[in-house]
Amino acid sequence: LRMPWRAEELMGEAADQIQALAREKRLGGFGSLVSDYDSYSLTVYWKGRVAGEMEELLNQLRRQVAIAVHEAPYSWDELSEEAHRISALDLPGLRITSVGPVPDCSGLRITVDVGDDLARASREIQSRMRLEFGVQPPARPIPASHHPRGRRVAPDARQTQR
């Protein structure tokens, strides 16, 4: 398309329709949807045979948006269930900061707090799914010049008037 903003708009609308149908009809095979803004295309990850209603919608949407469907090892429901199980684990001294599906639905990505032992996390957190581990980077302080309330200057004891 000659107008990238229009292509992005069409992609967004198509993605919304795909996700709405999967959610409203509780189509169990849906895994995820990945937008590629470089090629203005969508990739749908689906476990098993794509439901007839979804196939009809995809065919309609393909008139305006390039859409590919790839086999997903796990559905969104399976990934979500396992992510909740892992998030609820009680592992003293190990803080899980996030658990979520990898884009191609092949497993989960788990991040732990920066001070935690990544090797320990990969030993103690087990799953039937493929797991990727990472460390949550520490939060960076917002520079005063970018603070929403402007510059804040701490009072200096030497400037205190009596």
Side-chain angles (χ1 to χ4, degrees):
L1 292 173
R2 291 185 182 161
M3 296 175 274
W5 57 270
R6 181 65 181 139
E8 290 177 10
E9 187 177 288
L10 291 171
M11 284 174 55
E13 291 169 4
D16 290 346
Q17 289 180 52
I18 292 166
Q19 291 174 329
L21 179 62
R23 184 179 49 251
E24 290 166 12
K25 298 289 182 170
R26 299 189 186 275
L27 302 178
F30 180 76
S32 73
L33 179 73
V34 177
S35 300
D36 182 342
Y37 289 96
D38 291 330
S39 66
Y40 300 112
S41 64
L42 298 174
T43 302
V44 176
Y45 288 92
W46 197 277
K47 181 178 179 183
R49 184 181 171 106
V50 177
E53 291 172 277
M54 182 61 73
E55 195 64 58
E56 287 176 27
L57 176 62
L58 294 175
N59 287 333
Q60 282 180 335
L61 295 172
R62 283 184 178 123
R63 294 180 191 141
Q64 296 185 323
V65 178
I67 301 173
V69 177
H70 293 283
E71 179 68 25
Y74 302 102
S75 70
W76 175 259
D77 291 339
E78 291 170 312
L79 291 162
S80 182
E81 182 179 314
E82 185 66 353
H84 287 302
R85 184 193 70 78
I86 290 171
S87 293
L89 291 174
D90 183 22
L91 300 168
L94 188 64
R95 186 170 159 260
I96 297 171
T97 56
S98 69
V99 182
V102 294
D104 67 359
C105 300
S106 62
L108 296 170
R109 174 138 177 88
I110 300 167
T111 58
V112 295
D113 196 35
V114 71
D116 290 334
D117 182 355
L118 196 56
R120 177 180 166 224
S122 65
R123 279 192 316 273
E124 293 190 24
I125 301 172
Q126 299 295 313
S127 175
R128 63 186 167 88
M129 297 179 178
R130 182 175 67 86
L131 301 177
E132 295 178 3
F133 291 89
V135 174
Q136 176 74 36
R140 288 194 253 162
I142 300 171
S145 61
H146 293 91
H147 195 280
R149 293 188 182 164
R151 286 186 188 258
R152 292 189 151 208
V153 180
D156 187 335
R158 292 173 290 169
Q159 296 177 354
T160 305
Q161 294 182 356
R162 292 182 189 208

